[in-house]
Amino acid sequence: MTDTTITSAVIIGAGIFGVSTGVQLARRGIRVTILNDGPPANGASGRSLSWLNSARMRSEPYHLLRMAGIDRYRTLSVRFPNADWLRFEGGLTWDANDTSNEIEAAYCHEVSIGYDALRLSAGEVARVTPGVDASAITPQGAIFNPGEGWVDLPALIGVLLEEFAARGGALVTEEGAARVLVENGRAVGAQTAAGNRFPADAVVLATGPAVPRMAEESGQTIGDGTPVALLVQTKPFVHPLRAVLNTPRVAVRPAPGGTFSLDADWAADQGVKLRPDGGYDVDGSVVDALLAEAAKVMEGNPKLEAASIDVGGKPIPGDGEPVVGALEAIPGYYVVFSHSGATLGLIVGELLAYEVATGTEHPMLATFRPERFAVR
């Protein structure tokens, strides 16, 4: 399929949203250049837990978008049945044993919308999913969602970039940060820190936590609730855990090569400090505490060792909902800014490319327009 509304596009950002959108535009016959301030996936996509889900409670449009996102991964898994970077082996979650526990309400909600969910006591978990220390599960029990999975975003981005290159797409990573060029009230391309200009009919801003600040440079407001995220990758070891665990003190996700990815909000809050130069200092004792919390929820309580630590902003809009689509005030200028980048990565790239290529708004993105912040 080839669209004729535009012939060229520049995308700033080589995370999952930027690369997914780039591939989709290239499939439509559009000439695409992706600009990134370093290697692909060097931002939020490289430190994402990447749990594929629509668990718990959220708005109906957001839930439907996430379910469509999971559907696209199901299709992709058929193309790559033996991939070690995309698996659907379920997700298990439980809450703290206090008044914040919402397991009952979450389970009832998930059942009411047809989201595949099993309510399990601690003693029932082992027969459903392996590798969990049942003693860590609180008395209110857990929810197992068989349809959930995980993806390793850097690996996926690498696969998508192979197709992108084969379709004639250009990736520029050695010219520093880029900015959107707006002339006579319209986006006309982008310019890198090296000074090179890349003219285009449309520009897509997909720079993760930097999106609100960069949009503000053109006078546009996007609500920003971005916190700092800390992702710890373990050294490889043999363990039976296959599901993603979302627990009160730690989230644990299997990863390629027998490793595991770990994160927790408290660890980022307590263990990360922003330096005056914009970098981060990480408290090693907090990393050790996070590793210990992960060991507590895993069968056999294995000794975990950190192989890598990644720190940076976790893109979350001010109201928690995705921000996707054109900036009405600046023709040719599109943005994408959202939490759940992994779950939404493929579907948002597809729908945003549809809008860029055709000039037509997609109904699934109707409630996620950036102008909702300007109205407020």
Side-chain angles (χ1 to χ4, degrees):
M1 176 179 180
T2 301
D3 296 286
T4 58
T5 305
I6 68 167
T7 62
S8 62
V10 167
I11 297 171
I12 304 178
I16 185 56
F17 285 139
V19 171
S20 176
T21 304
V23 169
Q24 291 286 342
L25 287 171
R27 288 176 182 175
R28 291 173 174 270
I30 293 168
R31 188 174 70 256
V32 185
T33 301
I34 298 176
L35 308 176
N36 202 57
D37 60 352
N42 67 337
S45 291
R47 54 179 175 268
S48 169
L49 187 69
S50 304
W51 170 30
L52 306 177
N53 79 95
S54 189
R56 300 289 179 142
M57 292 160 269
R58 54 183 51 83
S59 71
E60 183 178 7
Y62 194 9
H63 171 68
L64 292 175
L65 188 64
R66 291 172 74 108
M67 293 304 292
I70 294 171
D71 171 78
R72 297 305 189 269
Y73 279 104
R74 289 283 186 186
T75 301
L76 187 67
S77 70
V78 174
R79 287 178 51 200
F80 299 96
N82 298 317
D84 66 351
W85 45 265
L86 175 62
R87 309 300 301 171
F88 282 97
E89 300 190 63
L92 185 74
T93 182
W94 66 88
D95 289 355
N97 184 23
D98 56 32
T99 56
S100 69
N101 192 294
E102 296 183 340
I103 284 294
E104 175 65 23
Y107 174 71
C108 291
H109 173 74
E110 290 176 6
V111 169
S112 75
I113 60 174
Y115 191 69
D116 197 0
L118 301 173
R119 180 77 181 274
L120 304 173
S121 67
E124 294 173 316
V125 168
R127 67 173 175 80
V128 175
T129 186
V132 182
D133 186 332
S135 68
I137 299 173
T138 47
Q140 296 86 345
I143 299 172
F144 182 68
N145 301 110
E148 295 178 354
W150 60 268
V151 62
D152 184 78
L153 284 182
L156 171 59
I157 288 169
V159 170
L160 294 177
L161 283 173
E162 289 181 7
E163 178 183 349
F164 180 70
R167 293 182 178 275
L171 172 65
V172 178
T173 61
E174 304 299 327
E175 297 193 17
R179 63 182 182 90
V180 180
L181 294 174
V182 178
E183 297 176 358
N184 300 317
R186 178 182 180 84
V188 297
Q191 182 173 329
T192 62
N196 290 319
R197 292 170 61 99
F198 295 83
D201 299 325
V203 182
V204 176
L205 184 61
T207 52
V211 166
R213 173 184 57 78
M214 294 179 71
E216 181 66 28
E217 292 172 358
S218 299
Q220 306 303 300
T221 299
I222 295 176
D224 187 12
T226 297
V228 173
L230 169 69
L231 188 80
V232 175
Q233 198 80 14
T234 73
K235 293 180 179 179
F237 65 100
V238 177
H239 195 272
L241 181 66
R242 296 293 178 266
V244 180
L245 303 185
N246 189 13
T247 82
R249 292 285 294 173
V250 65
V252 182
R253 188 259 291 173
T259 65
F260 289 84
S261 297
L262 318 175
D263 81 356
D265 291 342
W266 64 265
D269 293 342
Q270 298 176 22
V272 178
K273 291 185 178 180
L274 179 65
R275 298 196 305 261
D277 64 1
Y280 297 95
D281 290 323
V282 180
D283 185 338
S285 66
V286 172
V287 172
D288 290 342
L290 183 63
L291 291 165
E293 292 290 349
K296 290 177 185 177
V297 302
M298 298 174 70
E299 180 182 293
N301 308 131
K303 179 175 175 52
L304 307 180
E305 297 180 81
S308 64
I309 301 168
D310 203 347
V311 181
K314 178 190 293 186
I316 299 181
D319 60 4
E321 298 267 303
V323 182
V324 188
L327 293 175
E328 290 182 359
I330 308 176
Y333 194 151
Y334 297 80
V335 299
V336 53
F337 175 55
S338 182
H339 184 38
S340 59
T343 301
L344 299 182
L346 298 180
I347 189 62
V348 162
E350 176 185 325
L351 301 185
L352 184 55
Y354 168 87
E355 294 199 344
V356 173
T358 67
T360 302
E361 293 187 348
H362 195 285
M364 286 192 76
L365 300 179
T367 65
F368 305 128
R369 303 291 168 198
E371 277 64 38
R372 70 183 188 266
F373 295 106
V375 170
R376 291 177 182 175

